[in-house]
Amino acid sequence: MDNLNINNAFYFVICSIGLFFWFLEIRLNGRHEAGLGRYLQLIDIVKVNNKEIAMSSVKPDVAILLSRHFVIDVDDVIRRNKFGLFKLLTPVHSVLPPPPASPYRLAPALLTSIGVLGTFLGISMSLYGLNLEGASSATLMTSAFKLLGGMKTAFYTSLAGMLASVVFMIILFWCGKARERRQRQLQGVLSKECMEVSPVSVLMGMSPDSNAELQQRQLEMADAVIKSSASTSEVAQDMKQLLQELDADKLAKALSDAVRDSVKS
């Protein structure tokens, strides 16, 4: 097989691998777009409803997202606050899933390596069987021109590999930026329609009945703490009294008598 055939084979391999990874990267973008389907429905619901969102009127998969990230009143309704914004339990950026990182970042290195492999293989085949010992000047010149021509052809595989690598890196950059841009657009819509609230604000916005129950629970906890402190104080007083009544001399005498009796026996 001559160098030209080797080059053609490596060109085919490089183009095939580059197109294969290009297809996988484009498919990754499509899967990411499809995975945002229910989040797009959520954003559409948030944009359309100017005052409130009834949980019973949304689909189950969207209702799961709403219950996970939004503040829901006791009547299963999500309402806007006085600023006209829906209340979020989590930061806006955590509502949407993060854009996936491409698992094909090593493809450019693979394409370059295949091109370099083709170059070394072409050079090796050009040098194989070359015997210059005892050859005439005309033979040497002919062999040299043949060798240089084969090397020139072989180096084209490296150029093809590098070119395919550069093209694929541009594709990786474009696809990654497209996913990030889509993510920023959706987060921008949520930021205009929603705001994160603290747990204290959520408690303050509870119904009067819920607040009364919470206050009752707090009073019960306070009474329990007071009773526990009183019991601890009583135990400390009893311990203090026992220590005061304890006679160290009598205790030492009793111990020495017990030791003496055990030695005698």
Side-chain angles (χ1 to χ4, degrees):
M1 182 182 291
D2 57 9
N3 286 335
L4 183 58
N5 292 330
I6 292 176
N7 279 8
N8 291 335
F10 272 89
Y11 293 156
F12 176 77
V13 171
I14 290 172
C15 292
S16 300
I17 293 177
L19 291 175
F20 174 71
F21 281 110
W22 186 2
F23 167 76
L24 292 180
E25 184 67 19
I26 297 298
R27 188 179 66 171
L28 178 64
N29 266 26
R31 287 182 174 179
H32 176 248
E33 188 74 21
L36 293 176
R38 59 175 183 165
Y39 296 94
L40 293 174
Q41 294 178 14
L42 183 147
I43 292 176
D44 290 338
I45 291 173
V46 169
K47 291 170 61 177
V48 170
N49 292 272
N50 295 324
K51 293 184 179 180
E52 60 184 30
I53 302 173
M55 294 293 291
S56 58
S57 64
V58 299
K59 295 181 179 180
D61 53 348
V62 179
I64 293 175
L65 293 177
L66 291 173
S67 60
R68 185 181 300 169
H69 300 287
F70 285 75
V71 177
I72 305 174
D73 294 339
V74 292
D75 55 353
D76 283 341
V77 175
I78 302 175
R79 294 183 173 86
R80 294 182 182 268
N81 58 11
K82 61 182 180 180
F83 303 107
L85 301 174
F86 289 109
K87 294 171 286 186
L88 288 175
L89 295 171
T90 57
V92 173
H93 64 83
S94 65
V95 176
L96 300 174
S102 175
Y104 314 116
R105 295 188 298 271
L106 297 180
L110 176 62
L111 294 171
T112 303
S113 300
I114 292 174
V116 174
L117 176 62
T119 296
F120 282 102
L121 181 60
I123 293 175
S124 300
M125 294 191 66
S126 297
L127 294 175
Y128 181 75
L130 182 64
N131 187 9
L132 302 179
E133 185 177 356
S136 62
S137 301
T139 304
L140 290 177
M141 291 298 296
T142 303
S143 300
F145 280 117
K146 182 179 178 181
L147 177 61
L148 291 175
M151 292 177 63
K152 179 182 68 173
T153 306
F155 277 115
Y156 288 155
T157 60
S158 291
L159 294 177
M162 292 178 183
L163 179 61
S165 175
V166 170
V167 172
F168 190 76
M169 283 192 290
I170 294 174
I171 294 172
L172 280 178
F173 177 80
W174 178 81
C175 291
K177 287 299 180 181
R179 292 192 292 268
E180 293 177 2
R181 183 169 58 252
R182 185 61 171 165
Q183 191 85 359
R184 287 195 300 268
Q185 289 175 353
L186 298 180
Q187 288 181 358
V189 174
L190 283 177
S191 299
K192 293 179 180 179
E193 302 290 338
C194 309
M195 65 174 295
E196 181 187 1
V197 296
S198 64
V200 176
S201 301
V202 176
L203 291 176
M204 293 297 293
M206 295 173 62
S207 63
D209 295 337
S210 300
N211 280 329
E213 183 180 357
L214 179 62
Q215 292 175 1
Q216 181 64 30
R217 296 293 184 186
Q218 291 175 343
L219 290 175
E220 291 176 359
M221 291 179 62
D223 292 338
V225 171
I226 293 173
K227 290 179 181 179
S228 176
S229 299
S231 300
T232 304
S233 178
E234 292 178 0
V235 171
Q237 291 294 333
D238 293 340
M239 291 291 295
K240 181 179 180 181
Q241 185 176 358
L242 288 174
L243 290 175
Q244 289 176 350
E245 293 176 356
L246 184 63
D247 192 341
D249 294 335
K250 291 181 179 181
L251 180 60
K253 186 175 182 304
L255 289 174
S256 62
D257 293 340
V259 172
R260 190 182 305 110
D261 293 341
S262 63
V263 172
K264 289 180 179 181
S265 60

